[in-house]
Amino acid sequence: PLLLPLRLFIPLVVPIISFLKIIPLFARRILAQQVSFGGEYPDELVVRDALEVYFKRSGFSRKTYTDAWIHLPFGPFNIYLPNIKPRKDVVPLHDVDHIVAEYDTSWLAEFEITGYELGMGLGKYWMGWVIDLQGIWLALPLYPLRTMKAFARGRRTKCFYNKYEYKEQILAMKLGDIRKALYIPRKDEV
């Protein structure tokens, strides 16, 4: 009598398990479709000018620092989230961190910078911690080696978020000066 329900249950479980196995493959395809600019930012470039290049390449704008809602394209889907003040405080620094550490804005690079920032630390920016801790749950199963390599790179770097604030001072600095002050290793050194 116990085997009858089990016999009915097994044919249902096998397709579900098979479907769960293909989700990472599907997710990788969606994630690979995002914008990747792959260029390097030279040390002589000033942060203000580098941000303009960053916005042009990524399709983002300064409006994302002040808009009421954030739009996250994810393959064929669009995700909208409220843009609260703590996020508005951390995102400009996160964008500068993308440039200084040379991570583009593809989903893969977002996962890498999640590991990098968690390794480096986010100082007083609690929303940055929340965002990166959520992101690591996607990053580790999809790209475990690259995420851990970025984490190790972050561990060798001084905390960007403790040292700088998004003000005129940082916008006028050269990228090379910031990289030297933070001891950022090149990606191939980790």
Side-chain angles (χ1 to χ4, degrees):
L2 183 62
L3 292 177
L4 184 61
L6 192 57
R7 284 185 188 164
L8 295 174
F9 181 70
I10 289 175
L12 296 173
V13 171
V14 172
I16 291 171
I17 291 172
S18 298
F19 176 73
L20 291 176
K21 287 180 181 177
I22 67 164
I23 287 176
L25 298 174
F26 174 71
R28 283 181 186 227
R29 283 197 181 146
I30 288 176
L31 299 174
Q33 294 172 0
Q34 302 299 319
V35 176
S36 173
F37 44 82
E40 293 185 9
Y41 293 94
D43 286 345
E44 314 74 60
L45 200 58
V46 174
V47 171
R48 180 180 294 103
D49 298 336
L51 273 171
E52 293 307 316
V53 173
Y54 170 82
F55 289 136
K56 191 179 207 179
R57 289 177 174 172
S58 67
F60 298 142
S61 72
R62 284 187 207 284
K63 277 183 44 182
T64 60
Y65 300 163
T66 57
D67 285 347
W69 292 90
I70 17 169
H71 169 242
L72 299 171
F74 188 76
F77 308 105
N78 291 306
I79 301 168
Y80 291 91
L81 300 170
N83 194 11
I84 60 176
K85 182 178 178 345
R87 184 188 176 280
K88 290 177 184 178
D89 292 341
V90 76
V91 167
L93 285 172
H94 173 78
D95 288 347
V96 174
D97 202 17
H98 265 282
I99 294 164
V100 171
E102 294 183 327
Y103 289 106
D104 61 44
T105 57
S106 66
W107 280 104
L108 168 59
E110 287 295 343
F111 291 150
E112 285 179 310
I113 202 166
T114 291
Y116 173 78
E117 288 180 340
L118 286 174
M120 173 183 61
L122 289 122
K124 66 181 180 181
Y125 295 96
W126 67 268
M127 181 53 82
W129 285 104
V130 169
I131 292 168
D132 283 349
L133 286 170
Q134 289 173 348
I136 204 75
W137 289 104
L138 282 173
L140 284 173
L142 291 172
Y143 300 101
L145 295 176
R146 294 191 65 168
T147 303
M148 291 310 296
K149 188 175 180 180
F151 180 84
R153 185 175 182 229
R155 294 297 304 146
R156 295 179 181 155
T157 304
K158 283 191 175 181
C159 182
F160 174 77
Y161 292 87
N162 280 342
K163 193 160 179 78
Y164 299 104
E165 291 187 19
Y166 190 78
K167 294 186 175 174
E168 193 60 37
Q169 167 208 4
I170 195 170
L171 294 175
M173 292 181 72
K174 290 184 178 181
L175 295 177
D177 295 339
I178 296 173
R179 289 177 181 141
K180 282 181 197 163
L182 297 175
Y183 305 109
I184 298 178
R186 291 191 326 265
K187 288 183 184 180
D188 60 354
E189 291 177 345
V190 180

